[in-house]
Amino acid sequence: MSHSQPFCLAVFDMAGTTIDDHGLVYRALARCVEETGVPVSPENLQLWMGTDKVTAIDGLMRAAGIEPSGEQVQAAFSRFHQILAQSYRDQPPIPLPGVPETLQKLRTQGVKVALTTGFDDDVVSPLLESLNWSVGEGADHTVDAMVTTSEVPSGRPAPYMIHHAMEKLGVVDVRRVLSAGDTIVDVQAGLNAGTLTCAVLSGQLDAAAFRPYQPHHILNSVAEVPALLSNSSPSTGKP
């Protein structure tokens, strides 16, 4: 592909980036670990947000000085599913402001949109259903592709979910891909994947938290992505 060709794929995280889940993932993750008797500090919780949740649970337990067994981690993970499902029933997630319009605008302009997440299939399916979002290529769907941790050998900060989104949609040049997310591991995954990488401030972190990791851009939200892409060159990853 020529360097002069425009961006053709935007890959977005879900909770905190495209949807407002009211912080319920954070709470469910902390609670499922704390119910095992292991304390969870806010700093450690933030460190593991955005990763796949089995890895996060294991990491949070080890951060507190516990060497968990696989059975303990899986039991806590099952409890995470239960807590989050009930939380979503009580307080359904909603799209962040401007996101539905942004997704539609990008796709109308010929940019495919994929979502990636630190959730597995069992969490994502009801989440998408509650949002009334559908996945598939074509104007009658919300996004073109969805990649969960169930589909890759490792979640973030590994680049595999982004690369699998490219694989699903037939995109072969990482220089034509933008990725955006609201956590440190989102940024690390984007940089590891070789994409134009954006941190967004619609989650729990401010700009100062992202700067040491050197994303290409720090945006207030993904609603700024269409304007960014119209002023960026895929060959350099800079305006």
Side-chain angles (χ1 to χ4, degrees):
M1 292 186 180
S2 167
H3 287 199
S4 64
Q5 288 182 294
F7 287 92
C8 63
L9 173 62
V11 182
F12 298 142
D13 170 55
M14 293 186 70
T17 301
T18 53
I19 65 171
D20 179 2
D21 84 328
H22 318 294
L24 297 177
V25 174
Y26 283 75
R27 296 177 205 166
L29 184 59
R31 183 175 162 191
C32 79
V33 174
E34 289 170 343
E35 285 183 357
T36 70
V38 176
V40 175
S41 71
E43 295 77 15
N44 286 333
L45 184 62
Q46 180 57 58
L47 179 66
W48 290 101
M49 287 306 299
T51 63
D52 78 86
K53 298 307 175 274
V54 172
T55 301
I57 290 167
D58 182 84
L60 287 169
M61 288 182 170
R62 292 181 187 278
I66 305 298
E67 293 286 333
S69 67
E71 291 78 10
Q72 288 174 310
V73 172
Q74 286 299 322
F77 183 53
S78 295
R79 184 64 183 132
F80 167 78
H81 273 288
Q82 295 170 356
I83 296 167
L84 189 63
Q86 185 60 55
S87 298
Y88 279 171
R89 285 192 291 270
D90 294 341
Q91 193 175 9
I94 58 175
L96 282 163
V99 166
E101 297 83 357
T102 298
L103 301 181
Q104 183 178 27
K105 181 183 293 186
L106 288 169
R107 298 177 84 225
T108 298
Q109 294 174 348
V111 179
K112 295 182 183 297
V113 177
L115 299 177
T116 63
T117 179
F119 300 146
D120 62 5
D121 288 343
D122 291 339
V123 173
V124 169
S125 294
L127 176 56
L128 290 174
E129 186 176 347
S130 73
L131 292 163
N132 197 30
W133 284 8
S134 62
V135 180
E137 297 185 71
D140 53 337
H141 294 290
T142 313
V143 297
D144 297 280
M146 175 80 238
V147 180
T148 75
T149 56
S150 299
E151 301 175 69
V152 293
S154 298
R156 305 174 186 126
Y160 306 137
M161 286 197 290
I162 294 172
H163 287 163
H164 192 43
M166 294 173 60
E167 181 182 18
K168 284 186 171 186
L169 296 172
V171 176
V172 299
D173 189 346
V174 293
R175 293 166 297 185
R176 298 184 64 195
V177 180
L178 173 144
S179 66
D182 68 303
T183 67
I184 299 303
V185 292
D186 290 326
V187 168
Q188 291 173 321
L191 295 173
N192 288 338
T195 66
L196 178 67
T197 302
C198 301
V200 294
L201 305 182
S202 48
Q204 303 290 321
L205 298 180
D206 60 16
F210 286 113
R211 289 193 184 103
Y213 299 90
Q214 299 183 314
H216 298 112
H217 297 277
I218 299 177
L219 309 177
N220 290 314
S221 79
V222 296
E224 297 179 3
V225 167
L228 174 66
L229 290 186
S230 68
N231 293 307
S232 293
S233 166
S235 64
T236 63
K238 298 179 180 179

